[in-house]
Each structure stands twice: as C-alpha cells, then as structure tokens.
Amino acid sequence: MLKVLIVDDETVVRRGIVLGVDWASMDCVVVGEAANGEEGIAQAEKCRPSLIITDLKMPKMDGLEMIAQLRARGNDAFVIILTAYDSFAYAQQALRLGAVDFLLKPFHDGDLENAVLRLEKKLNPPKPEIRLQDVRPGAKSRYVQAAMEYISENCG
C-alpha cells in the first residue's frame, strides 16, 4: 500500500486531490497534507509517505527545494509533480531529484490516477505464469524439471 502525502498551496486543488480520487481502489491511503514545502517536510518526516504529490510553485518553499531537502535527509519517497508551469527546466530538475511523473495543471480526470497506477505497475510487475501441468513427465531433462519445480515453489 502506498502512503501518500499531498503538498499544494491551493486549498481547492489539494482538497480535490484528497477527496476526489478513489485512493483505496489503487491500494493507497492519504497520510497527510501540506500547503507549502516547509509544511511538506514536516509532514514527510512525521508520516513517512512512500509517495509525495506536490506542486512546484508555493510560498515559503517551493516543491523542488522541498524535494531536494528531503533527499538530503535520506527521504527516498516517490514524487509526482503537479504544476501550471510548462517549463523544461522545471521538469529536468524534477527528474534529477527523482520525480517519477510530471503533470501539467489543469490535469484531466484520470491523469493523476494513471500516474499512480504507472508507478504501482513499476513497483509490482506482473509475474509470468508457469503451468507445470502443461509439462509431460519425461519430456524435459531432470535439470529442467527440477528448475521448474523450484520456480513454482519459490517464485509463484
């Protein structure tokens, strides 16, 4: 389960993300909210989120500075950036700080959810299905058979 921290200075946007997304259906839970980067650092240290969704431009401390400070403190949470600024320099800096996605505001219904689902797919890739019933006894060498049994017992 991903623990999510939402950081955005626009109350309507922040509350919309918290309340308007079906977090449970994506195996996520919102553990905190913050209105700027300083509050974001405090909440991140308190709540230990695995995913931070943050705006870039905020008062007191912007999102990039917040991420940089969290990284310096050893926080390795995944980050999705939300911003109204279509700037390559911002995107580039966000990627250098380890952001996994960069969404432009106003984003459309499903954009944020799709970004979270892409992250979860990277974290939990589908396992290949091995069907031993399809293998006839004696059809494979004993080494292949032993390997398939090991995989079935330990990787399934």
Side-chain angles (χ1 to χ4, degrees), residues 2 21 23 26 28 51-53 78-82 99-104 107-123:
L2 288 175
V21 173
W23 294 104
M26 296 187 294
C28 298
L51 172 61
I52 299 171
I53 298 173
F78 297 101
V79 177
I80 294 175
I81 301 287
L82 309 175
V100 296
D101 220 323
F102 192 92
L103 301 177
L104 289 175
F107 47 90
H108 304 300
D109 283 347
D111 287 350
L112 181 57
E113 292 89 337
N114 287 334
V116 173
L117 291 172
R118 280 192 299 273
L119 171 60
E120 287 182 332
K121 197 171 194 178
K122 286 180 190 174
L123 295 175

Side-chain angles (χ1 to χ4, degrees), residues 30 37 54 100 113 143:
V30 176
T54 184
V100 296
E113 292 89 337
Y143 300 111

